[in-house]
Structures are given as C-alpha cells and as structure tokens.
C-alpha cells in the first residue's frame, strides 16, 4: 500500500477520513443555505472561530452563530449567493477522539442575474472532537490568502 502522507505524519483511519469529509460537506452546505444557527451547533459548546483579517475570537455557539448570522443577513440584503468549497483536507490524530485538520477553502459569489466569481481563497486549520458517530469543531482558524498572516 502506498502512503500518501509524509512519513512523519500520522493519519486517521479511512472511515474517520470519510466521516470528516462528509462533515465538511454538510458544514459548507449549511452555511450556503443561510443556516447559521445549525452551522454553529457543529462547534463544541466552548468552540472558537477566528480569522487573521478580523480582530477577536468568536467563542461559544451563540457568539459564533451571531457573527455568522450578521454576515449571512448582509449577503441576503445584497442578493448575493455564496458557495463554499473545501478541499485538500489533511487530517491527523492528536489524541484519542481529537483530530487536527488543515484544508483549503474557496468561496464563490454570484450576484443576482450575474456571473459567479471567486470571492475568497483561504487556508483553514481546525481541531475536531469526536461526538458520537460524528465530529464537532473545537477550534477553527481561517487565514485569508494574500494577507500578512
């Protein structure tokens, strides 16, 4: 069997990797559907969300949901549709039932009657915690490409 990760990197099981990819697909689709509160429920109760281009850290589901709701409502007011795509997901175990992931995320934006365009390209780093058969985000840090972080 050929190993695809660097030799010094531990990898998660194939089943866990598939579940993580499915988790991210659900997260992206919830976000794109404007379901900020449900999306935030996929963070741990004390989970954090931060970006290199905005000061401060959102902490806890209510704070994370409120921040995302504000952004989603602003998009809706402008009639914009956004689509998130997550890819190149690397996942490594850091302790039992805890995984660190690093992935790329791109966001496309389409105005009413207009053409889609690339809005944003980022790198995301998460710490995920197993929750029964699924996952919750313990922490997420987003770095926007083209910035000084």
């Amino acid at each position: 069997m050929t190993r695809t990760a660097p030799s010094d990197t531990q990898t998660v099981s194939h089943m866990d990797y598939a579940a993580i990819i499915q988790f991210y697909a659900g997260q992206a689709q919830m976000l794109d559907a404007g379901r900020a509160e449900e999306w935030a429920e996929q963070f741990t109760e004390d989970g954090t969300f931060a970006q290199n281009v905005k000061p401060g850290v959102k902490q806890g589901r209510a704070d994370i949901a409120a921040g995302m709701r504000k952004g989603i409502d602003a998009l809706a007011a402008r009639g914009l549709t956004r689509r998130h795509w997550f890819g190149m997901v690397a996942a490594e175990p850091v302790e039992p039932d805890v995984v660190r992931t690093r992935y790329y995320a791109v966001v496309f934006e389409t105005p009413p009657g207009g053409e889609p365009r690339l809005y944003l390209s980022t790198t995301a780093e998460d710490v995920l915690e197993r929750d029964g058969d699924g996952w919750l985000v313990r922490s997420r840090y987003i770095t926007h490409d083209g910035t000084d972080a």
Side-chain angles (χ1 to χ4, degrees):
M1 180 169 163
T2 303
R3 185 174 175 87
T4 57
S7 60
D8 62 342
T9 303
Q10 293 183 359
T11 58
V12 298
S13 72
H14 296 297
M15 294 295 287
D16 280 343
Y17 189 79
I20 289 166
I21 297 300
Q22 192 71 8
F23 171 75
Y24 283 136
Q27 277 231 311
Q29 291 177 24
M30 270 187 214
L31 202 52
D32 293 342
R35 296 163 38 200
E37 294 75 19
E38 287 177 74
W39 177 82
E41 285 296 316
Q42 294 190 330
F43 283 74
T44 60
E45 288 189 35
D46 62 346
T48 61
F49 180 92
Q51 300 181 65
N52 71 319
V53 296
K54 295 183 180 180
V57 175
K58 301 288 184 193
Q59 183 157 14
R61 291 172 176 161
D63 193 25
I64 292 168
M68 194 54 66
R69 171 55 54 208
K70 183 178 175 182
I72 287 171
D73 289 349
L75 289 173
R78 293 171 52 208
L80 295 173
T81 299
R82 283 209 181 141
R83 297 288 181 246
H84 291 73
W85 180 87
F86 299 162
M88 306 308 292
V89 178
E92 66 176 305
V94 292
E95 58 186 73
D97 297 326
V98 177
V99 172
R100 179 177 294 116
T101 65
R102 188 171 196 278
Y103 54 95
Y104 300 140
V106 293
V107 181
F108 297 92
E109 188 172 85
T110 308
E115 295 291 321
R117 69 178 181 92
L118 178 62
Y119 168 72
L120 187 63
S121 176
T122 69
T123 299
E125 297 179 61
D126 288 358
V127 175
L128 303 180
E129 194 174 289
R130 190 181 305 278
D131 180 49
D133 291 335
W135 298 93
L136 294 174
V137 179
R138 183 188 289 176
S139 66
R140 176 167 292 162
Y141 186 76
I142 307 293
T143 302
H144 294 228
D145 293 348
T147 60
D148 292 335

